[in-house]
Amino acid sequence: MENFEPVPVPEGETASCSSWAASSTNLPIMSTESMEIDDALYSRQRYVLGDTAMQKMAKSHVFLSGMGGLGLEIAKNIVLAGIKALTIHDTGNCHPWDLGTNFFLCEDDVVNKRNRAEAVLQHIAELNPYVHVTSSSLPLNETTDLSFLEEYQCIVLTEIRLPLQKRINDFCRSRCPPIKFISADVHGIWSRLFCDFGDEFEVLDTTGEEPKEIFISSITQANPGIVTCLENRPHKFETGQFVTFREINGMAGLNGSIQQITVVSPFSFSVGDTTELEPYLHGGIAVQVKTPKIFYFESLERQIKHAKCLIADFSKPEAPLQIHTAMLALDQFRENYSRKPNIGCRQDSEELLKLATSISKTLEEKPEVNVDIVNWLSWTAQGFLPPLAAAVGGVASQEVLKAVTGKFSPLCQWLYIEAADIVESLGKPEREEFLPRGDRYDALRACIGDSLCKKLQNLNIFLVGCGAIGCEMLKNFALLGVGTGKEKGMVTVTDPDLIEKSNLNRQFLFRPHHIQKPKSYTAAGATLKINPQLKIDAHLNKVCPATETIYNDEFYTKQDIIITALDNVEARRYVDSRCLANLRPLLDSGTMGTKGHTEVIVPHLTESYNSHRDPPEEEIPFCTLKSFPAAIEHTIQWARDKFESSFSHKPSLFNKFWQTYHSAEEVLQALQLLHCFPLDTRLKDGSLFWQSPKRPPSPIKFELNEPLHFSFIQNAAKLYAMVYCIPFTEKDLSADALLDILSDVKIQEFKPSNKVVQTDETARKPDHVPISNEDERNAAFQLEKAISSNEATKSDLQMAVLSFEKDDDHNGHIDFITAASNLRAKMYSIEPANRFKTKRIAGKIIPAIATSTAAVSGLVALEMLKVAGGYPFEAYKNCFLNLAIPIIVFTETSEVRKTEIRNGISFTIWDRWIIHGKEDFTLLDFINAVKEKYGIEPTMVVQGVKMLYVPVVPGHAKRLKLTMHKLVKPSTEKKYVDLTVSFAPDTDGDEDLPGPPVRYYFSHDAD
């Protein structure tokens, strides 16, 4: 047998292989040998995986069999991630069925009966020019010589029969080192994933989290020594972890040592014997030390009998083994009959149940056979649910990356994800509902029935955001036929952003030639290639109060479901408020690195997004930023603020000033701090002022030949030249030119000022610094001088305002912030940060990877099916996942709370009382109308933050005679106003009782 080598395909020819060889694309492949990581493409993913893992990945070869919907999902994700080479394998030809499961196939592929791997090859290769993608279509069976697999580090099997999986798994285990083995399948509404990375698999970083650092307040001289955190801040360490120490004063013997810890409390932990060390004085930082961990795996043959399953839904802990049993019965059914059970066939279902009962007895745990699971598996096994494939494909792809990098904890060893909630709510469906009709939706129809398929086709969906999750959602819509109805149905998508190169790593609908084109328009065009029947309306608008004339109540009420694909909380809160006001379902999701969440919000059933609030991000105290930085994050934020102040805020104020007056005629901080607080300064209690976390600064003397000093001067000069509109060339900023100028600069000797240094951590940064009379006189004098020397012409009275842009590597923004931050860090003896880390913190970059994005979007689409079908509360599930650990947790949604007023009158956040008025309707009329219609009299009426009527406020009683028009002052197009009312408490002295929103229409015909 020949070696498994890629055979290039001449342009315009079809690949044909006579042996285990592969066809490849004609796309240019960018070499990954000795190449630096392309940060413009991979920056968001680098923050997830780290450079070591990225470099390992860029040397890895992966073999992937099965180019159905699940295999394609995995291929997409791992090619976007940036492995070195991928071979895709499939022996089957394209079928109409595949159009509803495989997003890279088209009608021509079906008509020409192309091999599935060859049909998608070019599309997969286009996702990433750094990945070499080849295809093969030769048989893979019990007689195939498997030696060709030796060149791969990871084998992924989909749509492969179980006996062949076992054979390939045994082969992978027999190699040294073992080839990592993954198998995954979707059968209807059921899926399974299995991983085997060899007997022992070493992981260098199990979580991917930054090592924890905590400031120390005390260490006891004891056996064991007890370390207590500063100001009772929780350390979040775990027993058995290792820490190292630095900057301890007194017990210096601990500095640099590595100690295994035992947690004593959330604020303290014990280390080894400290009795022989010097007494602790002050200061010190404990830093977590990450250590490798060995994971142990068993073969597929062994794990079939003794399955270790990850439990995703703790309300059904027995389900994974029950599904495991049913799936094994399906494998046996296929071996016995060379087919899957027929849709709705009672005889096949009974046969599958017999097999499951027999197999259960052979398993070590002997799980109970769940008849419903077996019946629904039999009923839907011929089908394929694309969102389920997206979810499982995302998880499986992350396991591939773990296999080739040793980064993150692998799945040990089975995962079952199902969508049984979708069919359980259908009751007893008719078999005809699920039978094929000969179109692209047959695979979907076999899972959910024709009635729900039609409901999907007639949906009006509003998708807010077209980034990574947005692109994945559009793909799911296309495969599900959302918005394809002949008379009804439409997908509206909006996103104001243009495509950047960094988007291409996750937003798979975009290609390099789309850079700087609108996301929404481009994504809409790409989605139509997946399903030309889709009706899609793309917008470039932000969804915010300013666009409420476009996305008004009429627009929202026409939508069946709103789906957010946003990257910030405030935007989510706004969309949620609009959904609440218009009683629209909302599906929200988000990712951060390997973490992701989904949330279902259904009118009258669940709480809304705004019903819960995460704790606000901890702000860095102003005095810490200004004078007492203790961590690199503090110096980076300080440098970022300096950028905004010097190159954006001040130029903006300057331009604003000269817009009013049309012509002119009309870091010595360290020495100052030490002057205010000498090193021996003590507080009232006798303790040193300069102790952890406060660090005394050390003045830095400027050195011409110090690279950090030079970088700061060079980038500051570049940015100031831009701000002052001074033309310059690269030669002007060269080392020789700058050194020539700097050699003549004389630095003035420091003279202490009377400046007061702020030490109060609760003090906030002042909004405006008042200008003294002395400053004004100096400014006037300098302006007069400039006028007299003709240096204040109109062209001089304009400055360029720089907007911070983190992803342009040539604008000097990140370079300035890195240099400024590291100078300050050096001054305060803080470990500096490289440009890469500085960019993440200063740019507030959210780490991102395609795997978690795909998984989250698939889970959202599964919930969308339930919303479209009008399912009951019990069917909906929220999800939190972290693919790094890995953990996937499904939970019930938050049931809407009912608030009692009195006398049986109650309301929820979804209730809205309606009052119709007229032009001369007074506030008293409004109050009486509420009382008459709802049986309770309001005692207070509020519009937003404006109090319309509060009896205790002087003068408010007179307002009762005023018309609602006069009080509310609506715009001409405004038909109603939402008011908040409250009611008198049952007992004097208690707070007023809250009421629901009251929508007041200004006329009877306005509803």
Side-chain angles (χ1 to χ4, degrees):
M1 181 168 287
E2 298 173 21
N3 291 332
F4 190 82
E5 290 293 333
V7 178
V9 186
E11 191 148 346
E13 291 186 22
T14 304
S16 61
C17 306
S18 57
S19 66
W20 262 106
S23 65
S24 68
T25 68
N26 298 305
L27 293 169
I29 303 298
M30 301 176 73
S31 172
T32 55
E33 299 297 333
S34 306
M35 178 183 276
E36 285 188 9
I37 295 168
D38 185 347
D39 188 62
L41 176 65
Y42 290 122
S43 64
R44 301 328 187 243
Q45 183 176 287
R46 283 178 77 187
Y47 294 120
V48 180
L49 296 177
D51 286 0
T52 301
M54 290 283 293
Q55 285 156 358
K56 285 183 180 178
M57 196 164 57
K59 296 175 183 175
S60 62
H61 295 69
V62 177
F63 177 84
L64 170 57
S65 181
M67 279 296 104
L70 178 57
L72 185 63
E73 283 283 350
I74 297 170
K76 161 178 66 77
N77 296 334
I78 62 177
V79 168
L80 288 171
I83 60 172
K84 181 176 184 179
L86 171 69
T87 299
I88 55 173
H89 165 258
D90 202 301
T91 58
N93 294 334
C94 299
H95 185 276
W97 186 281
D98 292 313
L99 295 175
T101 65
N102 185 314
F103 49 84
F104 277 156
L105 295 183
C106 64
E107 297 275 1
D108 283 348
D109 297 321
V110 175
V111 171
N112 296 318
K113 296 183 178 178
R114 294 188 67 192
N115 171 268
R116 290 197 302 181
E118 292 172 10
V120 300
L121 175 65
Q122 186 92 356
H123 299 290
I124 294 172
E126 284 176 351
L127 293 170
N128 193 335
Y130 291 106
V131 182
H132 186 52
V133 185
T134 56
S135 73
S136 174
S137 56
L138 281 179
L140 180 60
N141 54 40
E142 285 75 7
T143 62
T144 304
D145 181 354
L146 299 180
S147 60
F148 75 91
L149 294 174
E150 290 180 349
E151 71 174 272
Y152 300 99
Q153 285 77 54
C154 184
I155 307 298
V156 186
L157 304 180
T158 69
E159 303 183 5
I160 295 288
R161 290 169 37 249
L162 188 61
L164 184 55
Q165 288 186 39
K166 291 179 187 177
R167 179 174 178 243
I168 295 172
N169 177 243
D170 290 340
F171 175 84
C172 290
R173 289 189 131 254
S174 70
R175 303 301 97 181
C176 187
I179 302 168
K180 314 306 180 288
F181 175 89
I182 296 171
S183 68
D185 280 299
V186 171
H187 298 297
I189 57 172
W190 312 91
S191 73
R192 73 176 166 197
L193 173 63
F194 173 78
C195 295
D196 174 15
F197 296 171
D199 286 337
E200 296 184 0
F201 180 70
E202 184 179 65
V203 173
L204 300 177
D205 182 354
T206 57
T207 66
E209 303 291 341
E210 288 279 327
K212 301 180 185 78
E213 291 192 9
I214 63 114
F215 289 104
I216 296 166
S217 70
S218 68
I219 306 175
T220 62
Q221 226 173 348
N223 185 13
I226 304 296
V227 181
T228 304
C229 306
L230 188 70
E231 296 174 352
N232 274 343
R233 291 181 182 171
H235 52 69
K236 299 181 182 176
F237 291 144
E238 296 174 15
T239 294
Q241 289 182 330
F242 292 85
V243 299
T244 187
F245 297 91
R246 68 171 192 258
E247 300 179 33
I248 295 174
N249 289 279
M251 203 174 276
L254 281 179
N255 286 332
S257 70
I258 296 177
Q259 304 283 334
Q260 190 169 21
I261 68 163
T262 301
V263 171
V264 176
S265 78
F267 315 104
S268 62
F269 55 89
S270 67
V271 291
D273 187 354
T274 59
T275 54
E276 300 299 318
L277 300 176
E278 296 175 18
Y280 173 83
L281 294 177
H282 64 84
I285 298 172
V287 184
Q288 179 187 1
V289 176
K290 295 211 167 188
T291 54
K293 181 176 178 180
I294 302 294
F295 288 83
Y296 301 93
F297 289 85
E298 294 178 334
S299 68
L300 177 59
E301 184 78 60
R302 169 70 182 136
Q303 272 292 299
I304 284 173
K305 303 287 186 185
H306 179 59
K308 289 189 292 184
C309 301
L310 179 69
I311 297 175
D313 188 343
F314 287 96
S315 69
K316 298 184 287 187
E318 72 289 344
L321 281 178
Q322 292 176 344
I323 302 171
H324 179 72
T325 306
M327 286 275 207
L328 292 175
L330 178 64
D331 292 317
Q332 190 59 55
F333 186 101
R334 294 174 71 189
E335 291 303 306
N336 294 350
Y337 302 103
S338 300
R339 63 176 177 86
K340 289 183 178 182
N342 288 320
I343 296 169
C345 175
R346 182 177 296 177
Q347 187 177 348
D348 283 355
S349 183
E350 289 172 353
E351 176 64 16
L352 194 65
L353 185 59
K354 286 179 188 175
L355 290 171
T357 304
S358 173
I359 287 170
S360 174
K361 294 172 184 174
T362 69
L363 305 182
E364 289 190 13
E365 288 80 5
K366 295 184 171 42
E368 180 186 348
V369 174
N370 186 310
V371 177
D372 286 338
I373 288 176
V374 174
N375 285 339
W376 278 117
L377 177 60
S378 176
W379 189 293
T380 66
Q382 287 197 13
F384 186 92
L385 196 54
L388 185 58
V392 180
V395 181
S397 307
Q398 190 67 60
E399 296 305 310
V400 175
L401 303 187
K402 293 174 188 178
V404 299
T405 64
K407 180 76 178 259
F408 304 141
S409 302
L411 171 67
C412 292
Q413 288 186 251
W414 298 91
L415 172 66
Y416 289 95
I417 301 178
E418 39 81 13
D421 289 333
I422 291 172
V423 295
E424 285 170 359
S425 297
L426 295 176
K428 293 185 178 179
E430 295 294 324
R431 177 172 177 266
E432 288 69 25
E433 273 275 301
F434 293 78
L435 294 177
R437 307 284 200 273
D439 62 19
R440 65 165 62 221
Y441 305 115
D442 278 347
L444 174 65
R445 190 175 285 111
C447 296
I448 66 173
D450 191 58
S451 295
L452 189 49
C453 283
K454 285 189 170 69
K455 287 180 180 178
L456 292 175
Q457 291 163 15
N458 291 330
L459 280 181
N460 288 326
I461 295 275
F462 183 31
L463 177 63
V464 187
C466 200
I469 291 177
C471 284
E472 292 284 342
M473 288 308 306
L474 286 172
K475 174 254 300 178
N476 292 331
F477 295 162
L479 294 177
L480 293 169
V482 171
T484 59
K486 291 181 180 177
E487 296 179 7
K488 291 173 65 180
M490 170 72 76
V491 173
T492 304
V493 58
T494 188
D495 195 310
D497 291 345
L498 302 180
I499 297 163
E500 305 285 347
K501 186 177 180 180
S502 64
N503 301 147
L504 305 183
N505 174 237
R506 303 169 314 287
Q507 300 169 23
F508 85 102
L509 296 180
F510 307 144
R511 301 289 177 269
H513 61 272
H514 293 140
I515 290 172
Q516 288 304 299
K517 292 182 178 177
K519 284 186 176 182
S520 59
Y521 291 172
T522 307
T527 308
L528 287 172
K529 290 181 180 177
I530 300 173
N531 188 344
Q533 298 169 359
L534 192 77
K535 289 177 284 182
I536 186 164
D537 184 18
H539 299 184
L540 301 179
N541 305 313
K542 199 173 179 179
V543 180
C544 60
T547 56
E548 281 188 15
T549 52
I550 301 168
Y551 307 118
N552 52 25
D553 294 341
E554 186 180 358
F555 173 84
Y556 276 95
T557 52
K558 286 180 181 176
Q559 307 306 316
D560 296 299
I561 305 172
I562 286 78
I563 298 178
T564 50
L566 296 162
D567 61 1
N568 70 89
V569 171
E570 284 313 305
R572 286 187 175 101
R573 293 201 182 285
Y574 173 75
V575 174
D576 176 72
S577 69
R578 299 292 290 137
C579 291
L580 191 68
N582 291 282
L583 304 179
R584 298 294 92 187
L586 171 65
L587 300 177
D588 178 60
S589 61
T591 66
M592 187 170 73
T594 57
K595 302 184 184 82
H597 80 273
T598 66
E599 184 173 4
V600 189
I601 296 153
V602 183
H604 305 295
L605 298 182
T606 72
E607 291 287 86
S608 75
Y609 184 86
N610 281 304
S611 298
H612 53 82
R613 287 186 178 270
D614 293 328
E617 280 189 35
E618 216 173 289
E619 284 190 5
I620 304 169
F622 173 59
C623 70
T624 300
L625 284 179
K626 184 81 174 168
S627 306
F628 308 113
I632 193 64
E633 287 80 5
H634 301 162
T635 67
I636 292 173
Q637 186 59 55
W638 175 87
R640 176 78 169 81
D641 290 347
K642 283 292 177 194
F643 177 94
E644 286 298 324
S645 171
S646 300
F647 308 121
S648 181
H649 182 63
K650 287 179 180 176
S652 180
L653 289 178
F654 181 86
N655 291 342
K656 195 173 180 182
F657 179 87
W658 291 114
Q659 284 166 8
T660 307
Y661 303 97
H662 298 294
S663 69
E665 287 79 354
E666 290 185 348
V667 209
L668 295 172
Q669 187 190 17
L671 290 169
Q672 178 67 34
L673 257 180
L674 293 175
H675 169 75
C676 295
F677 301 104
L679 290 176
D680 57 359
T681 303
R682 291 187 178 272
L683 300 173
K684 290 178 182 178
D685 62 2
S687 60
L688 284 169
F689 177 84
W690 293 110
Q691 63 172 309
S692 182
K694 284 191 178 72
R695 298 165 178 265
S698 303
I700 297 175
K701 187 178 179 183
F702 176 68
E703 296 287 345
L704 274 173
N705 298 315
E706 170 61 50
L708 181 57
H709 298 190
F710 180 80
S711 176
F712 174 75
I713 295 293
Q714 184 184 48
N715 287 292
K718 178 179 180 178
L719 296 180
Y720 275 118
M722 291 177 179
V723 162
Y724 287 107
C725 305
I726 298 170
F728 63 90
T729 63
E730 288 300 312
K731 187 178 178 183
D732 294 329
L733 291 172
S734 66
D736 291 341
L738 290 179
L739 291 174
D740 187 47
I741 296 168
L742 293 172
S743 60
D744 294 330
V745 173
K746 292 182 180 178
I747 298 172
Q748 294 180 356
E749 188 179 339
F750 169 71
K751 293 177 182 177
S753 72
N754 297 321
K755 185 190 293 184
V756 176
V757 177
Q758 178 64 259
T759 61
D760 181 5
E761 291 197 2
T762 62
R764 299 184 69 83
K765 183 178 179 180
D767 293 331
H768 301 287
V769 180
I771 300 171
S772 67
N773 291 335
E774 182 66 24
D775 289 337
E776 285 188 351
R777 281 195 294 273
N778 285 337
F781 172 75
Q782 290 176 23
L783 188 57
E784 287 172 4
K785 189 177 175 183
I787 292 169
S788 63
S789 58
N790 291 322
E791 291 177 358
T793 61
K794 212 153 196 173
S795 61
D796 298 315
L797 306 182
Q798 183 69 31
M799 291 173 74
V801 178
L802 303 186
S803 296
F804 176 66
E805 173 48 61
K806 58 186 177 289
D807 286 321
D808 183 346
D809 289 339
H810 305 291
N811 61 15
H813 296 189
I814 292 295
D815 297 307
F816 168 81
I817 291 170
T818 303
S821 166
N822 284 341
L823 272 175
R824 190 167 177 80
K826 190 174 181 182
M827 191 168 83
Y828 281 92
S829 303
I830 295 170
E831 190 74 24
N834 60 18
R835 187 184 187 279
F836 180 60
K837 183 174 181 178
T838 302
K839 177 179 174 179
R840 174 178 64 80
I841 297 171
K844 296 181 177 172
I845 290 175
I846 300 173
I849 190 166
T851 52
S852 51
T853 302
V856 159
S857 68
L859 295 173
V860 170
L862 288 176
E863 298 305 310
M864 181 187 71
L865 297 179
K866 302 173 192 176
V867 177
Y871 284 27
F873 171 79
E874 296 75 22
Y876 300 106
K877 293 285 187 289
N878 291 340
C879 181
F880 170 79
L881 58 83
N882 184 348
L883 301 185
I885 301 179
I887 184 172
I888 302 171
V889 179
F890 292 101
T891 60
E892 286 187 348
T893 54
S894 300
E895 190 169 6
V896 66
R897 290 191 300 272
K898 188 174 284 189
T899 302
E900 296 286 338
I901 305 175
R902 68 161 69 93
N903 301 331
I905 301 171
S906 62
F907 68 94
T908 73
I909 56 169
W910 297 101
D911 289 324
R912 181 166 294 102
W913 292 357
I914 305 290
I915 298 294
H916 288 89
K918 50 188 178 179
E919 196 168 338
D920 60 352
F921 214 67
T922 65
L923 178 57
L924 182 60
D925 291 334
F926 169 80
I927 291 171
N928 288 335
V930 172
K931 181 181 178 182
E932 183 179 337
K933 188 171 182 180
Y934 297 103
I936 189 165
E937 182 178 348
T939 53
M940 188 162 71
V941 183
V942 178
Q943 178 195 358
V945 295
K946 180 182 173 185
M947 293 186 291
L948 298 184
Y949 177 63
V950 181
V952 296
V953 176
H956 272 216
K958 296 178 182 177
R959 293 187 174 185
L960 292 170
K961 296 179 181 179
L962 296 177
T963 65
M964 294 296 284
H965 262 83
K966 190 164 187 177
L967 282 168
V968 174
K969 299 182 175 67
S971 56
T972 51
E973 70 277 359
K974 196 77 173 172
K975 294 180 179 180
Y976 68 85
V977 62
D978 284 328
L979 303 172
T980 303
V981 297
S982 56
F983 309 98
D986 294 323
T987 308
D988 287 344
D990 289 352
E991 289 187 6
D992 282 4
L993 301 172
V998 179
R999 179 161 290 182
Y1000 173 73
Y1001 287 92
F1002 296 107
S1003 64
H1004 278 279
D1005 56 354
D1007 196 344

